[in-house]
Amino acid sequence: MAARRGERRLVIVGGGASGVAAFVAAVRYGVARSIDLVDPRGVGRGTAFAAKHPALLCNTSVETMSIVDDDPDDFLAYLQSIGVMATRDGFVSRAYVSGYLTSRYDRYAALACASGIEHRLVTAAALRIERISASEYRVALENGMTLHATDVLICTGHGAPYVPDAVRPNLGQPQLFDSLYPEGRVLAELDARSRVLVLGSRLSALDSALLLCAAGHSIDIVSPSGRLPAVRTATPRACPVPVDAAALAQVDLDSAAATLSWRLLRILARAARAVRERPLSAQVERAREPIERMRREAELARRGATDWQEILVAHMDAAQMRLRDEPLERQRHALAECSRVVGRYLFACPLQSADRLIEYAQAQRLTVRKATPAALDRGVRWTVRWNDGGLDEYDAIVCATGFCKAPLYASAHVIMLGEQAATAGASLRVGSDLRVSLPGLAYPERIWTLGLASQSGAPIVNAVYQAVRQAHELCRSWQAADAAVAPPRFVAEEAQ
């Protein structure tokens, strides 16, 4: 049974965008008498938004970054309040998001205090969540503290950097970085005018190129595909044409990969054409050379010819609804084909970033190619042996191959968090309602996952607004359930 209205003792694990969104929602809807927010780095200091260099932009536009679900312009209002000229469609430096999260946390912490909600920000890592009973949990922290809760929200974001097999035996050697972040560490350790190999060709690799080329280094981006993200000028949430939900519902998720890809592409192509009667073939480029393809796509974006960006967010949401109740293996099959069809468009880069990368390529300081390292050897410099037998030398190597999912494992009474979790128990089961189920127990716990931590229950969660919506929908459902069993009480409102 749910704790009585306003009587929850809530612990939120994670102080990034998902955790702050959960805190904001819990305060606004008055669903807890106490809220502990736990993160060893404090608020807004996660990998995604702790980057400080102005060249590192959000890859989604301003209107998707609000952590107040019913006010998509809240981030825009914050930017304007600190003197940043921005629009809803604009892409801004990720450093502003960190400041925004801190600002909104401070605002709602003050509101919690004024509303009689007890609150603590606990700067320590959560190690495990122990089940005491059906509505009592104990969260153990690395500093020896123990937090007691009736409800727990896991908002832990992504895990450790993914490191390719050829690189892993060399970790710890000089001038080899498992990730670009924190970027200050990489910049401080590189010698002037280094030749740097960047492994990967998605958004983290573009971040690496933007940062390191700006610092005077020369960059080779390589990946098994050699494909760069597409280019866009906005990520609008409102779709100008209806989503064909009936067509999505009729897609056979068990069909062969080629058939499934074709059907998904057909749905998207119809929608993209409906925006301005421009065929999808006129909105995309197929040049084989990566920089040339980016240059042509930048021109399409500059001319306003990338209508696909107008329909992508809404169709991503529709796909999420279509998949969330499907078995995990079926989800994985469908997501693999979705990624193959629209991955480089879903994770497209801002036009501003593309223009800068093209300039670096024209100055012969940036190359992109298809290649896979077979082995590395450290002498005076790094020698890389490629799968085709070729050799190259570099001063430094940066892995920009993304991040692993944060490990969440459980036994009958304990959920393990953090890197030590990978060696303990079974993988955590998360339902489509985002609730956690422990092995051997018949009913789900009063523990929920939000944001990236929810990916086994919500198959497509890769944007701030999605985690924000999860948090607010959950707290609204708590408020409605509480109202059905208890008389009304004051609910905190931002109007104060």
Side-chain angles (χ1 to χ4, degrees):
M1 177 178 291
R4 288 184 299 155
R5 181 174 172 80
E7 293 302 304
R8 288 177 182 81
R9 287 175 285 122
L10 178 62
V11 172
I12 301 171
V13 180
S18 300
V20 175
F23 176 70
V24 167
V27 174
R28 289 189 77 202
Y29 293 104
V31 294
R33 81 174 185 202
S34 70
I35 307 172
D36 290 333
L37 182 62
V38 182
D39 193 300
R41 294 168 292 193
V43 170
R45 299 292 184 268
T47 302
F49 300 118
K52 299 184 183 302
H53 197 281
L56 304 184
L57 304 181
C58 300
N59 73 300
T60 56
S61 46
V62 167
E63 72 166 300
T64 66
M65 302 300 294
S66 170
I67 59 166
V68 182
D69 188 46
D70 55 3
D71 185 2
D73 289 329
D74 188 59
F75 182 42
L76 179 61
Y78 167 77
L79 292 170
Q80 293 171 343
S81 74
I82 62 172
V84 176
M85 299 300 294
T87 64
R88 298 185 88 195
D89 287 342
F91 297 88
V92 298
S93 169
R94 295 210 292 270
Y96 292 131
V97 181
S98 180
Y100 168 61
L101 294 175
T102 301
S103 167
R104 291 314 184 249
Y105 164 76
D106 289 342
R107 173 185 293 183
Y108 283 91
L111 184 57
C113 181
S115 305
I117 300 172
E118 299 175 14
H119 168 59
R120 289 181 294 180
L121 174 60
V122 184
T123 53
L127 299 179
R128 61 188 178 274
I129 303 167
E130 301 169 357
R131 184 184 193 272
I132 307 304
S133 69
S135 60
E136 182 71 21
Y137 303 94
R138 186 165 54 211
V139 181
L141 309 183
E142 65 176 352
N143 63 2
M145 285 183 62
T146 298
L147 307 178
H148 291 269
T150 60
D151 301 80
V152 181
L153 301 182
I154 302 174
C155 309
T156 47
H158 55 62
Y162 173 77
V163 179
D165 291 342
V167 177
R168 194 171 295 115
N170 299 278
L171 287 177
Q173 295 204 50
Q175 305 292 291
L176 174 62
F177 305 95
D178 63 354
S179 169
L180 175 69
Y181 317 106
E183 73 271 19
R185 170 197 59 150
V186 179
L187 290 174
E189 293 186 24
L190 286 179
D191 295 329
R193 299 187 179 280
S194 290
R195 185 187 184 205
V196 183
L197 172 64
V198 172
L199 298 174
S201 61
R202 297 182 70 173
L203 292 170
S204 293
L206 299 195
D207 281 355
S208 301
L210 289 165
L211 182 75
L212 300 178
C213 285
H217 305 292
S218 297
I219 310 302
D220 287 354
I221 288 178
V222 304
S223 74
S225 71
R227 292 193 305 171
L228 296 174
V231 182
R232 60 186 170 198
T233 59
T235 54
R237 290 181 65 174
C239 187
V241 298
V243 174
D244 193 345
L248 278 171
Q250 292 170 5
V251 171
D252 180 6
L253 299 180
D254 293 321
S255 57
T259 302
L260 180 55
S261 296
W262 179 81
R263 289 176 176 168
L264 292 171
L265 183 58
R266 188 178 179 187
I267 292 170
L268 293 170
R270 284 200 303 263
R273 179 169 191 145
V275 175
R276 293 182 181 87
E277 292 302 321
R278 189 181 354 242
L280 183 60
S281 59
Q283 303 176 35
V284 299
E285 274 294 342
R286 294 183 175 85
R288 296 179 66 86
E289 200 285 316
I291 294 294
E292 177 61 18
R293 189 178 191 183
M294 176 172 274
R295 186 191 68 78
R296 295 184 187 183
E297 289 182 326
E299 287 305 312
L300 285 173
R302 211 179 326 275
R303 297 201 314 266
T306 50
D307 302 328
W308 55 264
Q309 70 185 25
E310 307 289 330
I311 61 103
L312 207 55
V313 170
H315 280 76
M316 181 171 64
D317 287 346
Q320 159 75 25
M321 296 296 293
R322 172 70 177 85
L323 292 176
R324 66 178 184 177
D325 293 322
E326 296 289 345
L328 186 58
E329 286 306 312
R330 190 174 292 163
Q331 287 184 17
R332 288 173 175 167
H333 174 58
L335 288 173
E337 294 312 304
C338 283
S339 178
R340 196 164 70 84
V341 172
V342 300
R344 63 182 302 271
Y345 301 95
L346 190 59
F347 299 101
C349 74
L351 176 59
Q352 305 99 296
S353 297
D355 283 342
R356 195 167 287 126
L357 291 166
I358 293 165
E359 290 177 5
Y360 291 138
Q362 290 172 339
Q364 299 185 332
R365 293 171 53 202
L366 171 64
T367 66
V368 183
R369 61 192 172 101
K370 179 179 179 178
T372 304
L376 311 179
D377 181 64
R378 176 70 186 179
V380 177
R381 305 174 78 199
W382 281 104
T383 299
V384 179
R385 179 166 59 84
W386 304 104
N387 274 355
D388 63 5
L391 296 174
D392 277 306
E393 287 194 344
Y394 295 93
D395 299 303
I397 300 173
V398 175
C399 292
T401 42
F403 292 83
C404 303
K405 292 182 179 180
L408 298 171
Y409 288 84
S411 64
H413 297 285
V414 178
I415 297 172
M416 301 298 295
L417 305 169
E419 297 310 311
Q420 77 279 1
T423 60
S427 295
L428 198 63
R429 290 187 295 126
V430 179
S432 59
D433 60 356
L434 309 184
R435 288 183 74 174
V436 168
S437 294
L438 294 177
L441 298 181
Y443 298 101
E445 301 301 316
R446 296 201 57 78
I447 302 173
W448 287 258
T449 59
L450 300 178
L452 291 176
S454 71
Q455 285 185 338
S456 60
I460 306 176
V461 179
N462 52 20
V464 169
Y465 81 90
Q466 294 171 309
V468 170
R469 183 170 57 201
Q470 289 177 335
H472 283 254
E473 287 179 350
L474 175 60
C475 288
R476 278 196 294 266
S477 72
W478 283 351
Q479 184 190 51
D482 293 348
V485 297
R489 75 180 277 277
F490 173 74
V491 176
E493 294 292 345
E494 186 184 354
Q496 293 187 5

